[in-house]
């Protein structure tokens, strides 16, 4: 990237950069600049970028022996006075982002001694990111492995797994997301494909304990979401007490049900939920818990092909069937069935969802050999049952044909 036009001389550029950095330290709120000054991060590069209103970083690569993924590097552009580099490791994190105090102390020590004293926690996945210098990279790998973790999860590989806090902290958890996360990480196939890029593009695995989807499983290449069959359970007496106390407006609760599954009998003071229409939005449960709870017959819904970016635009996952809450081993096998045809046939930089869009969901399920309880008979669903933004070409053509038929009858 070329230098911006009208860039001041180097000394003036650095002085202006420092002025902006000091402005960011003003005010009554905590300042990220003040915290970065406590580390060995090349803060002047950041400041010059703010002055130039242009990214000061360019792509680079750092070779770390016996390490194929998890290392990201960038170098300051040649118009940055004094230059600078920024290398970081993506480090395996724990299920639900629970970190033991002794582990954090060890990570902090490694960061101070072998890194630049800066640790980042990625908001969406909870991944640990350690900033370092190229000279200390191999020593840091050894140190991280000694405390029971490793580097990985970048490039065209399985990325860092993501699970919600599940039954550890959440009353809505319908299966043990933390156990599923741990069992996936114990499988050699999963770890081999985290540390060695070999796929057409990245692949994300996510675990959400309930339909609130705190782990964003609908946006994973494969996601596992806790659900239940039929209607939620309603404790009528407890619900009446909430109504009488003014905690819940039953008519508003019914009106806000996205599928119209809820009705309120004002004479009998009774709430009814039609399980055949319930879309598992969790709205009624969040509003009136614990008077309304998820049903007892629990399942794990499997969705595939989600992602916020892709050749065919952002997509939520396609539902392909259910597993039981104790079928974690089957879930691992299913994951690699899903990966199989995509890995063998997809074009480079095609996410799984892009590949499904290309071949069609029905054909993909056939190629992967997927057989699950509750599988859709066909992808030709009614529009309000399609949970993703973009439909495959053949499905869209079916709707267009159907619309033309309706138009001819009017």
């Amino acid at each position: 990237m070329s230098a911006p036009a009208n860039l001041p001389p180097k000394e003036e550029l650095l002085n202006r950069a420092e002025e902006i950095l000091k402005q960011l330290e003003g005010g009554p709120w905590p300042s990220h600049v003040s915290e970065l000054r406590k580390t060995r991060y090349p803060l002047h590069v950041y400041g010059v970028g703010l002055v130039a209103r242009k990214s000061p970083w360019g792509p680079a690569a750092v070779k770390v022996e016996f390490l194929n993924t998890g290392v990201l590097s960038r170098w300051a552009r040649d118009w940055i006075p004094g230059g600078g580099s920024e290398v970081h490791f993506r480090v395996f994190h724990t299920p639900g982002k629970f970190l033991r105090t002794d582990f954090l102390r060890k990570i902090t020590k490694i960061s101070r001694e072998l890194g630049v004293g800066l640790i980042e926690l990625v908001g969406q996945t909870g991944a640990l990111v350690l900033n370092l210098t190229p000279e200390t990279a191999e020593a840091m790998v050894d140190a991280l492995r000694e405390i029971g973790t490793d580097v990985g999860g970048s490039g065209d590989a399985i990325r860092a797994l993501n699970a919600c806090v599940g039954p550890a902290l959440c009353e809505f958890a319908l299966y043990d997301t933390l156990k599923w996360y741990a069992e996936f990480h114990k499988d050699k196939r999963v770890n081999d494909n985290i540390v060695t890029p070999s796929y057409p593009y990245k692949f994300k695995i996510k675990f959400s304990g309930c339909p609130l989807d705190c782990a964003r499983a609908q946006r994973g290449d494969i996601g596992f979401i806790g659900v239940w069959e039929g209607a939620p359970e309603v404790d009528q007496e407890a619900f009446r007490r909430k109504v009488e106390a003014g905690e819940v407006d039953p008519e508003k609760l019914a009106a806000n049900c996205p599928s119209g599954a809820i009705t309120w009998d004002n004479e009998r003071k009774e709430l009814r939920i039609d399980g055949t229409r319930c879309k598992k939005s969790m709205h009624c449960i969040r509003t009136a818990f614990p008077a309304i709870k998820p049903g007892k017959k629990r399942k794990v819904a499997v969705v595939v092909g989600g992602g916020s970016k892709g050749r065919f635009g952002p997509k939520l996952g396609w539902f392909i069937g259910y597993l039981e809450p104790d079928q974690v081993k089957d879930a691992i096998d299913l994951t690699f069935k899903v990966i199989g045809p995509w890995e063998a046939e997809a074009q480079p930089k095609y996410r799984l969802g892009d590949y499904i869009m290309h071949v069609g969901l029905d054909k993909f399920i056939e190629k992967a050999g997927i057989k699950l309880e509750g599988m859709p008979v066909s992808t030709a669903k009614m529009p309000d049952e399609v949970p993703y933004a973009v439909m495959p070409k053949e499905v869209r053509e079916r709707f267009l044909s159907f619309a033309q038929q309706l138009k001819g009858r009017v």
Side-chain angles (χ1 to χ4, degrees), residues 161-346:
L161 278 58
N162 190 24
C164 70
V165 295
L169 291 176
C170 183
E171 61 269 35
F172 298 143
L174 301 174
Y175 75 105
D176 193 338
T177 56
L178 307 180
K179 178 181 178 181
W180 279 49
Y181 179 108
E183 291 298 326
F184 265 71
H185 250 302
K186 289 177 186 177
D187 193 282
K188 186 176 184 297
R189 293 169 294 175
V190 174
N191 283 296
D192 284 350
N193 286 283
I194 288 176
V195 300
T196 305
S198 62
Y199 292 156
Y201 204 5
K202 58 188 174 183
F203 189 90
K204 296 186 177 182
I205 305 170
K206 301 186 178 186
F207 310 92
S208 284
C210 79
L212 290 176
D213 197 15
C214 293
R216 300 176 180 86
Q218 280 273 20
R219 285 169 48 188
D221 293 276
I222 187 166
F224 302 94
I225 305 172
V227 293
W228 67 92
E229 286 189 6
E233 288 187 22
V234 181
D235 183 334
Q236 298 291 350
E237 186 58 38
F239 187 78
R240 289 188 198 102
R241 287 198 295 268
K242 282 185 172 290
V243 172
E244 291 167 0
E247 296 176 15
V248 178
D249 181 340
E251 294 182 356
K252 184 178 179 181
L253 183 74
N256 286 337
C257 177
S259 61
I262 299 177
T263 55
W264 168 248
D265 188 329
N266 199 40
E267 291 184 5
R268 301 180 63 180
K269 305 298 181 185
E270 187 173 286
L271 192 78
R272 296 169 186 163
I273 303 178
D274 183 351
T276 63
R277 299 174 65 184
C278 177
K279 297 288 187 180
K280 315 296 188 286
S281 75
M282 296 287 290
H283 176 267
C284 62
I285 294 172
R286 285 190 297 172
T287 304
F289 189 84
I292 305 178
K293 297 180 180 179
K296 288 184 178 179
K297 194 171 183 181
R298 297 173 178 184
K299 302 285 185 183
V300 179
V302 184
V303 293
V304 296
S308 58
K309 295 180 181 179
R311 294 292 182 92
F312 296 99
K315 295 173 287 296
L316 297 180
W318 286 269
F319 166 74
I320 60 169
Y322 296 111
L323 291 168
E324 297 293 333
D326 61 353
Q327 286 187 285
V328 59
K329 299 295 185 184
D330 295 316
I332 299 170
D333 292 338
L334 173 65
T335 298
F336 286 95
K337 280 186 178 182
V338 165
I339 287 172
W342 168 68
E343 181 182 14
E345 300 179 3

